[in-house]
C-alpha cells in the first residue's frame, strides 16, 4: 500500500520492537480520547544487504516475499500491542521505502506522529534513535516519542513451589528476593 494518510488521525510508526508497540498502545489510547483513527505505518526496504554477490538468486527473498513479511510484522505488532482492542479506528499501512521518508509522508496532515524510543540512554537521558531524531527534525506535525517499558510487558510467571512476597508481608518472613 502506498496510500497517504487522509484526515486528521494519529500516525504511529511500528517496527515490531517493544518501543514501537508502546507507541502504538499510547496512540490507540490518545485516538480514543480524541475520537479519531490510528494509522499504523510499517516501512520496509528491499533486502539487498546480507547476501553475498555470488549467492544464488533463489536464496534471496523476492520483493513480494519481503512485502508479505513486512505485512506480517505490522499485523503481529498490532495484534500484540492492542489485543482485542483492535477496532475500525485502526488502519494499517505497509509502504516500501526508507522509514524517515515514509513516516514524514504518511504523517502530513495528521494530528501527530507517535514513535517509540528506548526508556533511557546514556546519563539517564531519553534515548532517541536515528529515525525518531530525523522525524523530530523534519516533521510538519507534532511528534511524540513514547518510551519502551523498562522491562518487557508480560504477566509474571509463577513457579511451582514459589511463595509470593505479598503473602509473607504480615508474617514477619522474608519480603522478597534480590
Amino acid at each position: 500500500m502506498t496510500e497517504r494518510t487522509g484526515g486528521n488521525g494519529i500516525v504511529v510508526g511500528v517496527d515490531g520492537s517493544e518501543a514501537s508497540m508502546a507507541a502504538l498502545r499510547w496512540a490507540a489510547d490518545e485516538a480514543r480520547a480524541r475520537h479519531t483513527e490510528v494509522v499504523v505505518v510499517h516501512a520496509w526496504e528491499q533486502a539487498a544487504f546480507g547476501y553475498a554477490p555470488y549467492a544464488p538468486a533463489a536464496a534471496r527473498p523476492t520483493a513480494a516475499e519481503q512485502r508479505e513479511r513486512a505485512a506480517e510484522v505490522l499485523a503481529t505488532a498490532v495484534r500484540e500491542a492492542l489485543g482485542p482492542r483492535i477496532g475500525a479506528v485502526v488502519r494499517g499501512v505497509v509502504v516500501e521505502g526508507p522509514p524517515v521518508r515514509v513516516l514524514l509522508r504518511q504523517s502530513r496532515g495528521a494530528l501527530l506522529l507517535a514513535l517509540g524510543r528506548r526508556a533511557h540512554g546514556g546519563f539517564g537521558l531519553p534515548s532517541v534513535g536515528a529515525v525518531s531524531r530525523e522525524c523530530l527534525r523534519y516533521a510538519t506535525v507534532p511528534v511524540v516519542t513514547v518510551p519502551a517499558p523498562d522491562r518487557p510487558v508480560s504477566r509474571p510467571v509463577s513457579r511451582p513451589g514459589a511463595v509470593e512476597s505479598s503473602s509473607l508481608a504480615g508474617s514477619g518472613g522474608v519480603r522478597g528476593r534480590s
Side-chain angles (χ1 to χ4, degrees):
M1 297 177 175
T2 57
E3 65 201 55
R4 278 215 357 241
T5 303
N8 291 325
I10 295 175
V11 174
V12 57
V14 298
D15 61 5
S17 68
E18 188 58 42
S20 71
M21 290 193 287
L24 177 52
R25 285 187 289 273
W26 181 89
D29 290 341
E30 187 68 17
R32 194 172 300 109
R34 293 180 184 223
H35 306 289
T36 191
E37 74 172 341
V38 176
V39 180
V40 186
V41 178
H42 178 69
W44 67 279
E45 297 180 274
Q46 287 195 26
F49 306 108
Y51 296 97
Y54 51 81
R60 298 181 192 141
T62 66
E65 291 170 334
Q66 292 176 59
R67 188 176 304 110
E68 185 177 318
R69 174 67 186 125
E72 288 173 16
V73 168
L74 176 79
T76 300
V78 169
R79 193 171 39 256
E80 287 182 13
L82 302 180
R85 297 190 305 170
I86 299 171
V89 295
V90 177
R91 183 167 52 98
V93 179
V94 176
V95 182
E96 180 181 0
V100 172
R101 186 177 49 138
V102 167
L103 290 168
L104 292 175
R105 184 174 294 146
Q106 290 294 317
S107 66
R108 281 190 210 135
L111 288 173
L112 59 89
L113 172 61
L115 302 169
R117 65 173 170 82
R118 290 185 302 277
H120 299 288
F123 307 107
L125 298 173
S127 177
V128 178
V131 170
S132 294
R133 185 173 39 253
E134 293 302 300
C135 286
L136 284 163
R137 180 177 288 159
Y138 296 110
T140 58
V141 299
V143 178
V144 175
T145 60
V146 180
D150 286 332
R151 288 181 245 157
V153 177
S154 63
R155 294 184 202 162
V157 177
S158 63
R159 296 180 309 245
V163 178
E164 291 187 35
S165 61
S166 61
S167 65
L168 297 174
S171 67
V174 178
R175 292 197 178 233
R177 297 181 196 189
S178 35

